[in-house]
Amino acid sequence: MIEKLIAEMIAYYKGDARRIQHFLKVHSFSRTIALLEGVDEKTRFTLEAAAVVHDIGIHISEEKYGSCAGPYQELEGPPLAEAMLNRLGFPEAVTERISYIVGHHHTYMDIDGIDYRILVEADFLVNLFEDDAPKTAVENALQKIFRTETGKQFCREMFGV
């Protein structure tokens, strides 16, 4: 199912290679962190699907608000993710959890599960690189965002902090 979801998202982002590359990297880090942290298969499945669709609201946010800011993505993304997941036959409980994560993935307080936690960490790893963040921003994220041992290790090793 994850592979079909990836194919759907590539078609959804047709012509936007940057966004396709982004979600593929977030998915890869999410999956790897989850495996190394010993996350159970059901939670990992939810996490992987959430990683694939986490930014699904970005284009509509740009169209409606002229911005892809996090709050707009969190508002616009869940209905789009739900429609896609339902069309592909994802279980209702999984779709509900993914919708919640998509609707909160730029909210870093009250992270309520390892799936949500790992997605945030994976997205930060990719965004810090893609945004060419200064070392101080990396150090700040390492201190304030990262909680999993694998996420912290990846951040330290990727950015040399």
Side-chain angles (χ1 to χ4, degrees):
M1 287 187 97
I2 298 296
E3 292 76 18
K4 286 183 180 181
L5 183 60
I6 289 170
E8 278 285 314
M9 282 300 294
I10 290 172
Y12 180 82
Y13 280 142
K14 183 178 181 180
D16 192 347
R18 182 174 185 269
R19 301 267 164 66
I20 293 167
Q21 293 287 319
H22 176 81
F23 87 74
L24 288 171
K25 289 185 278 188
V26 172
H27 170 260
S28 181
F29 276 118
S30 293
R31 183 177 192 285
T32 302
I33 293 169
L35 286 167
L36 292 172
E37 291 289 318
V39 172
D40 67 272
E41 189 174 335
K42 181 181 175 196
T43 304
R44 193 177 76 242
F45 175 77
T46 301
L47 165 63
E48 287 190 47
V52 172
V53 300
H54 76 282
D55 280 343
I56 196 169
I58 205 162
H59 283 165
I60 195 168
S61 296
E62 291 170 333
E63 291 169 18
K64 283 176 85 170
Y65 311 105
S67 171
C68 63
Y72 298 132
Q73 289 184 54
E74 290 181 339
L75 177 68
E76 300 294 339
L80 297 170
E82 289 170 18
M84 184 178 288
L85 295 166
N86 288 334
R87 191 171 58 254
L88 292 174
F90 276 72
E92 184 178 336
V94 172
T95 298
E96 287 176 13
R97 180 62 179 165
I98 293 167
S99 179
Y100 177 82
I101 293 170
V102 169
H104 292 83
H105 79 279
H106 286 284
T107 302
Y108 310 126
M109 298 168 37
D110 301 321
I111 293 176
D112 72 348
I114 193 66
D115 48 2
Y116 181 0
R117 162 66 52 206
I118 291 173
L119 175 68
V120 167
E121 291 184 9
D123 201 22
F124 258 85
L125 288 172
V126 175
N127 284 331
L128 288 167
F129 172 75
E130 289 178 348
D131 296 342
D132 198 23
K135 193 169 192 169
T136 55
V138 173
E139 290 168 342
N140 187 48
L142 180 60
Q143 184 178 46
K144 294 184 178 181
I145 299 297
F146 289 84
R147 297 289 176 270
T148 69
E149 289 306 313
T150 306
K152 290 188 280 190
Q153 176 188 347
F154 285 0
C155 186
R156 286 191 299 266
E157 291 175 352
M158 282 177 61
F159 300 103
V161 295

